[in-house]
Amino acid sequence: MRALRLLAPLPALLLAAPLAATEPVSTPVTFKTADGFTLHGTLTVPATGPRRHPVVILAHQFHSDRAAWAPLAERLNARGIATLALDLRGHGESTDKAGAAVAVTDDFAASAKAVGFDQIPADLALVAAWARKQKALDPRRVALAGSSLGGFSVLAAAGKVKPLAILALSPAGSEAFGDHALESAGSSLGKSGAATLVFVAQDDADAAKVATAVKAVPGVSELVFPGQDHGYAFFKDHVETMAVFFGEYLLHAQALHRGGPAPADASKSQVVTPATLAASPAAQGQAPPPPPPGN
């Protein structure tokens, strides 16, 4: 696993209760892609917290929709982090392409060709650009999360989006993104400079192939588990770790904000594991430091 810079770890404690207590506000949003798809999503903004909230853009797995992110989104919202859950092209409500219905089927390869899965990274860049213009969101604190197809898509989109942090659950489906997809994803991650956490099971061959291709990129850490768990299956035992990861990088690790000062301990590194995240300020329920100027 690669090393990521975390804030100086504190003694490991049990994960604290989320910071925010009031109900967030959800708003439906739509986007028009360059090739005519109308994408539907839900922007959820916490009712309390900073004037401009960090935001995580959520990209689901094949044959799913944005509702599947609820276990993680609820934890992020409770911590004061906004979420923008998207129905990817051809999924959920995002099946209108210039007036024609274009939806995925059970056949991944056929769906990839009909819907254009290789355009999903561009879709995510479009959504991120929109998010950075919203008054309720902090343009410097944008992150990506994806599962399976969405997991590979967020890796491939990283270079254009330039997020602070990326969560990829079982990134897979690289065959839908062209002959040099694995190399392109690695290059994209390298350009982004994002702190990246990949969940992968040892016996999940497709996801393991992608994880192997990007593990040498600076800033990438992998959590490798026995068995065949894939995508959302990791929520059962690890959703809190995922929420703490985003809390650490979006709320506490202010030095990672572009243009921000480097911390005194910038030379220190920690491999990202559930234990190191449990010892981080985000896991202790500590109030984050003041936001950078302009918030």
Side-chain angles (χ1 to χ4, degrees):
M1 292 189 292
R2 298 292 297 180
L4 294 184
R5 291 186 299 177
L6 289 174
L7 299 183
L10 302 176
L13 299 173
L14 294 176
L15 296 179
L19 299 178
T22 57
E23 290 296 318
V25 177
S26 294
T27 305
V29 292
T30 59
F31 308 90
K32 182 75 72 173
T33 71
D35 60 348
F37 267 102
T38 300
L39 306 180
H40 291 258
T42 301
L43 173 64
T44 302
V45 179
T48 60
R51 184 171 62 87
R52 304 192 78 174
H53 296 267
V55 61
V56 181
I57 298 170
L58 305 168
H60 60 75
Q61 58 195 48
F62 176 62
H63 229 295
S64 183
D65 60 35
R66 64 189 189 268
W69 285 105
L72 177 59
E74 290 169 1
R75 285 166 171 81
L76 294 176
N77 298 155
R79 283 174 165 79
I81 299 172
T83 54
L84 203 173
L86 189 69
D87 279 351
L88 300 181
R89 53 174 54 216
H91 295 77
E93 292 185 283
S94 301
T95 56
D96 181 273
K97 183 179 181 182
V102 182
V104 297
T105 66
D106 291 335
D107 187 322
F108 181 86
S111 296
K113 183 176 181 180
V115 173
F117 289 170
D118 60 339
Q119 297 303 306
I120 294 175
D123 297 344
L124 295 175
L126 171 71
V127 173
W130 176 88
R132 285 189 163 107
K133 297 177 182 178
Q134 305 311 301
K135 292 182 178 180
L137 306 179
D138 186 340
R140 290 167 293 181
R141 292 189 287 171
V142 174
L144 298 173
S147 181
S148 194
L149 170 64
F152 188 85
S153 296
V154 297
L155 300 180
K160 291 184 177 180
V161 174
K162 297 290 195 299
L164 281 180
I166 298 172
L167 172 69
L169 307 180
S170 310
S174 60
E175 63 273 18
F177 294 79
D179 294 338
H180 303 288
L182 295 178
E183 295 88 340
S184 295
S187 176
S188 175
L189 274 179
K191 293 176 182 177
S192 76
T196 303
L197 184 57
V198 179
F199 278 72
V200 63
Q202 290 176 338
D203 298 331
D204 185 349
D206 194 8
K209 176 181 67 176
V210 176
T212 298
V214 302
K215 69 179 180 180
V217 176
V220 175
S221 282
E222 297 176 4
L223 297 182
V224 182
F225 300 89
Q228 298 179 330
D229 280 351
H230 187 83
Y232 300 134
F234 288 114
F235 280 168
K236 181 177 181 294
D237 296 320
H238 306 290
V239 69
E240 192 68 19
T241 295
M242 301 172 197
V244 169
F245 167 72
F246 281 122
E248 177 70 5
Y249 283 95
L250 296 180
L251 296 175
H252 288 270
Q254 297 293 313
L256 292 179
H257 297 171
R258 289 175 176 81
D265 64 344
S267 63
K268 297 181 180 179
S269 295
Q270 294 287 338
V271 172
V272 173
T273 67
T276 58
L277 287 173
S280 72
Q284 310 306 322
Q286 299 178 28
N295 272 345

